[in-house]
Amino acid sequence: MIGLPQLLNGFVWGWIVALVALGLNLIYGILGIINVAHGTFYMLGAVIALVLLPSLGFWGGLLAACILVGLIGAVTERLVLRPLLDRPVMTILATFGILLALEQTVGLTFGLSNRAVPDPFGLQLRLGSITYPGYRLVVALCAMLAIGGLDLFLKRTRWGSWVRAVNQHRELALVQGVPVPRVYSLTFALGTGLAALSGVLVAPIVGVHYLMGVDIVILAFVVVIVGGTGNLWGTVLVAIGAAELENLLTLVTRPTAARMITFLALGLLLVIRPQGLFGEKQAE
Amino acid sequence: MSGNRWQLLAGAAGILGLVLAPTFLDSFWVFFLAEILLFILFAQSFNLLFGYTGLLSLGQSVYFTVGAYTVALLIRQWKPGVGLLLPAGVLTGMVSAALVGSLAVRVRGHGFIIITAVPTVVLVLLGQDQSAWTGGDNGLNIIPPKLLGQYSFFDPTVSYYAVLPCFLATMFFLRWLLATPLGQAFLLVRENEARAAVLGYDTLRLKFVAFVIAGGIAGLAGALDALVTAYVIPSSASWTVAADAIIWTLVGGAGTLLGPVVGTGVLLFAREFLSDIWAHGYPLLLGLVLIGVVLFAPQGVVGALRKRMGG
């Protein structure tokens, strides 16, 4: 079938973008931090996994990368970002500083070239007349599980309800006994951990490079805002929609043009509905 | 009173120093100074929006790049003189800013940031896609026309004296603008947009006007950059380049005309010195400096100094 690989690629890439965007959304929604360095944590996940892969295997490396990056995220939040609460513009500057410092540290120690990561399964699926790398479907599945898990965590667990409480009203949550400072650390760790997970998952598809996070962060931001801040499934839908649009457009035009049209479409949506597709209109 | 007189004196000394700089600097530093001056203009473009009107634009690199490519493409097609190239860069910067601004100013808060950021991605991709015109990822080398028919831009002193009047004119223009009722109204929008609206100001139009003027300044900076470096590249539209203007402004001090001058000057000097010693040192150090500024001098260098002097 013509277009099946593009359809599948869009689907897989959409879930990855959703995973990155959800971490960003969580951090922006709860902490008010515009985390420009989000793509850097995504890159960091991929780099750590690549280093640990030989000793821990794929799944071990994946888990270790998420935990390590989450810890780095929590420490960063506590030391650098906590004093900047309620000053979103300053968080842009601070996270850009974090981006530069982490990127260059990785560039210096890990090298500047793109490193390929072998397909962990080497499985090729036969779908009618085409073959498709099975690993990519595993990627989509992992992302789905992580997002479903996040949804359950936020809705069903005590910590999740605390996160949502802080999101709704920080002071009220505090007087109710919610450990707000720890919720901040947890949220940032969770958000950066999700970014790391996406980084590890895409590494076998696109390789690992110290600047790999620069492009995805803008796309993720646009997706968050178009999907509606604080809206989990809105973010997922927009991410998949955008990825499908871009990949299907490559059937009829050049890849750069396809990406350009996708961004224009997202920008246009935002102009038409500034509160996001699934966001509620905010009071003036 | 005497404070004002000192300011005037310092300003006059600064201008005199800039005018005479090529007589006591070697050509490398003259070229470098020309670049600093045009990047200060780029930073001022962001400063006018954020520092004075309260609009956080993540897309000033777009109008910079539009100005630069206007110069490059005009030279390739018709080889007009500098007297036409620079106004053309300002004009296209303003027109493209009007295009984006008319949509962006309607949206508040984070929506505004994103709508200004989307064109950065689109323009870089457009440049890569139309590589026959733009040079794609390799960029485009151009041959600037001779200034006044005889002075070549490949001479750093010529470049410098082409940039300096533009720099001074823009600085004086901004000083004048911000003192006019229009400039004061920008401040009102920054401080309290709702109140400005209640007082009868058309805040959408005010934001739009600020956005267009800022686009023109960025376009001028881009046009100068194209002439001085004889080179243009689509990736200069990237959001990371826009972030440079934000960093220079905020490190120096937003909302002051001196802030971007200090921030851009200090950081570019630091980059130049460090790049000789250690190529990756600058971004690494800049990252740490940013974190330090944010934590310990959130008003920027100029803001912190003012506070200390009790001004």
Side-chain angles (χ1 to χ4, degrees), chain B residues 162-188:
Chain B
V163 174
L164 185 62
C166 298
F167 169 78
L168 291 176
T170 309
M171 292 295 284
F172 279 115
F173 165 75
L174 282 172
R175 210 183 142 90
W176 167 80
L177 174 73
L178 292 165
T180 62
L182 178 66
Q184 293 294 307
F186 289 162
L187 293 182
L188 189 58

Side-chain angles (χ1 to χ4, degrees), chain A residues 84 87 90 93-94, chain B residues 247 249-253 267 286-301 304:
Chain A
L84 303 176
R87 286 189 290 167
M90 283 293 135
L93 205 57
Chain B
I247 291 166
T249 304
L250 292 184
V251 167
L267 289 176
L286 178 62
L288 299 176
V289 165
L290 284 184
I291 295 169
V293 165
V294 164
L295 291 181
F296 304 111
Q299 301 294 310
V301 175

Side-chain angles (χ1 to χ4, degrees), chain B residues 72-134:
Chain B
L73 294 180
L74 279 178
I75 288 176
R76 236 171 74 152
Q77 293 299 310
W78 294 291
K79 303 186 172 38
V82 177
L84 204 139
L85 287 172
L86 290 179
V90 175
L91 188 72
T92 51
M94 288 174 82
V95 169
S96 51
L99 217 65
V100 177
S102 59
L103 301 174
V105 295
R106 287 165 209 287
V107 183
R108 282 163 215 264
H110 50 239
F112 179 85
I113 306 175
I114 294 301
I115 292 185
T116 56
V118 166
T120 65
V121 182
V122 172
L123 198 61
V124 172
L125 290 168
L126 183 69
Q128 289 170 345
D129 196 53
Q130 302 294 320
S131 54
W133 280 85
T134 63

Side-chain angles (χ1 to χ4, degrees), chain B residues 65 69 124 128 136-137 233-241:
Chain B
T65 307
Y69 265 98
V124 172
Q128 289 170 345
D137 286 332
I233 184 163
S235 63
S236 67
S238 158
W239 70 271
T240 52
V241 176

Side-chain angles (χ1 to χ4, degrees), chain B residues 149-164:
Chain B
Q150 51 178 330
Y151 303 109
S152 163
F153 269 95
F154 292 108
D155 176 359
T157 311
V158 172
S159 283
Y160 180 80
Y161 282 124
V163 174
L164 185 62

Side-chain angles (χ1 to χ4, degrees), chain A residues 153-199:
Chain A
F153 167 80
L154 288 175
K155 284 185 179 147
R156 294 289 160 82
T157 67
R158 174 185 296 194
W159 277 93
S161 70
W162 283 347
V163 170
R164 285 186 297 133
V166 174
N167 190 25
Q168 281 172 5
H169 201 297
R170 189 195 307 158
E171 280 80 14
L172 271 182
L174 194 63
V175 286
Q176 295 287 329
V178 174
V180 174
R182 273 199 243 162
V183 170
Y184 287 153
S185 296
L186 173 83
T187 307
F188 206 82
L190 204 59
T192 48
L194 288 176
L197 174 63
S198 343

Side-chain angles (χ1 to χ4, degrees), chain A residues 28 34 36 79-80 83-84 87 89-90 92-94 96-102 104-105 108 112 210 214-215 217-218 221-222 225 229 254 256-257 259-260 263-264 267-268 270-271 274 282 284, chain B residues 50 56 58 103-104 106-108 110-111 113-115 117-118 120-123 125-126 128-130 238-240 243-244 246-247 250-251 278 280 283-284 286-288 290-291 293-295 298-299:
Chain A
Y28 181 70
I34 301 176
V36 176
L79 292 181
V80 180
L84 303 176
R87 286 189 290 167
V89 176
M90 283 293 135
I92 294 184
L93 205 57
F96 199 79
I98 294 165
L99 175 153
L100 288 174
L102 287 178
Q104 294 306 319
T105 309
L108 280 173
L112 305 177
Y210 81 114
V214 173
D215 281 337
V217 68
I218 286 285
F221 261 121
V222 176
I225 304 296
T229 49
R254 297 173 299 278
T256 43
R259 179 162 294 184
M260 202 162 69
F263 265 97
L264 281 175
L268 209 62
L270 199 54
V271 171
Q282 282 166 359
E284 295 274 304
Chain B
F50 178 71
L56 182 58
L58 198 55
L103 301 174
R106 287 165 209 287
V107 183
R108 282 163 215 264
H110 50 239
I113 306 175
I114 294 301
I115 292 185
V118 166
T120 65
V121 182
V122 172
L123 198 61
L125 290 168
L126 183 69
Q128 289 170 345
D129 196 53
Q130 302 294 320
S238 158
W239 70 271
T240 52
D244 280 339
I246 299 180
I247 291 166
L250 292 184
V251 167
W278 185 29
H280 292 280
L284 187 59
L286 178 62
L288 299 176
L290 284 184
I291 295 169
V293 165
V294 164
L295 291 181
Q299 301 294 310

